[in-house]
Amino acid sequence: MKIQSTDALLVIDVQNDFCPPVDGVGGALAVTGGDAIVPIINRLAQRFEHVILTQDWHPAGHISFASSHPGKRPFETTEVAYGTQTLWPDHCVQGTPGADLHPGLSIPHAELILRKGFRREIDSYSAFLEDDHTTPTGLASYLRERGLQRLFLCGLAYDFCVRFSAIDGTAAGFECIVIEDATRGVDLPGSIEETTTALATAGISKIVSERIESSC
């Protein structure tokens, strides 16, 4: 599959808190093998003219934190105004080292870093919409203004932010392709299987990084 001038690589939330800790930094919500995809993403990014990064950017006391709900524990759920919310350990808090992009990530030509999840009372898995499924992040408009049409998605985590970004991107009219070997899942009970089914239902294809060729 050759990369076109209207393609973009969308790198989702490759941040310290989603990777195993290094020297005590990060790991608050570590995805198993999350750091293993960093070299793959770096190599991929060199093939793309257009690269966009996303960054979870939560205020302290965010609605998605179990610590904000007395009596609740991480990975339990609760009902909020926009539906069922999975509760997480405190992670990617604004201005903390855990919220920083992974230090091994090397994509100096990235054109945009989109921060999401910064509204205290609403979570944001998707790069396109907050979890109320109506509040836009502005990414769709950015892509349209740039004439970008096809998105290759990678990053963390497959069964949450990559999943919902791909589904919402497809619904917004973009062709979305998930790069299988450049993503990893949180892997809550059933979440990987549900994601694979949801992507297939939405007509979203998957590919391995070796099959993506630069147009040059």
Side-chain angles (χ1 to χ4, degrees):
M1 184 176 290
K2 285 191 177 294
I3 298 167
Q4 308 298 322
S5 61
T6 54
D7 293 343
L9 180 67
L10 183 55
V11 181
I12 305 290
D13 298 357
V14 181
Q15 295 168 255
N16 288 328
D17 271 345
F18 294 132
C19 295
V22 176
D23 296 329
V25 174
L29 184 48
V31 174
T32 301
D35 52 350
I37 66 174
V38 172
I40 300 171
I41 292 173
N42 286 340
R43 289 194 297 271
L44 272 169
Q46 297 309 310
R47 305 174 199 168
F48 283 83
E49 178 183 357
H50 306 293
V51 182
I52 296 162
L53 313 178
T54 72
Q55 189 176 19
D56 239 13
W57 196 249
H58 297 312
H62 191 254
I63 196 170
S64 72
F65 296 167
S67 61
S68 299
H69 303 267
K72 290 287 188 177
R73 297 181 179 180
F75 311 111
E76 294 181 348
T77 61
T78 193
E79 295 303 310
V80 296
Y82 49 86
T84 302
Q85 172 69 54
T86 299
L87 300 176
W88 307 105
D90 291 21
H91 65 280
C92 298
V93 175
Q94 297 172 3
T96 66
D100 290 344
L101 297 172
H102 190 278
L105 203 64
S106 180
I107 313 177
H109 65 293
E111 297 169 339
L112 175 71
I113 298 176
L114 180 94
R115 286 176 168 170
K116 59 188 181 66
F118 52 80
R119 294 177 174 88
R120 190 181 306 276
E121 297 304 321
I122 186 168
D123 205 4
S124 185
Y125 296 147
S126 170
F128 289 90
L129 294 173
E130 306 278 11
D131 281 4
D132 61 358
H133 305 297
T134 58
T135 304
T137 64
L139 180 58
S141 296
Y142 174 88
L143 293 169
R144 290 191 185 103
E145 277 201 20
R146 302 288 309 282
L148 301 173
Q149 301 170 4
R150 185 169 64 171
L151 305 177
F152 291 79
L153 288 85
C154 60
L156 303 170
Y158 170 72
D159 41 352
F160 285 91
C161 296
V162 172
R163 169 186 175 176
F164 288 101
S165 295
I167 289 172
D168 287 347
T170 299
F174 302 96
E175 181 183 355
C176 292
I177 300 168
V178 173
I179 307 171
E180 289 186 90
D181 55 328
T183 184
R184 297 288 187 277
V186 176
D187 198 12
L188 297 184
S191 63
I192 298 290
E193 295 80 5
E194 289 172 7
T195 296
T196 299
T197 299
L199 294 177
T201 299
I204 297 164
S205 60
K206 296 192 285 186
I207 194 171
V208 295
S209 59
E210 291 179 354
R211 289 191 54 209
I212 302 171
E213 301 178 11
S214 171
S215 59
C216 300

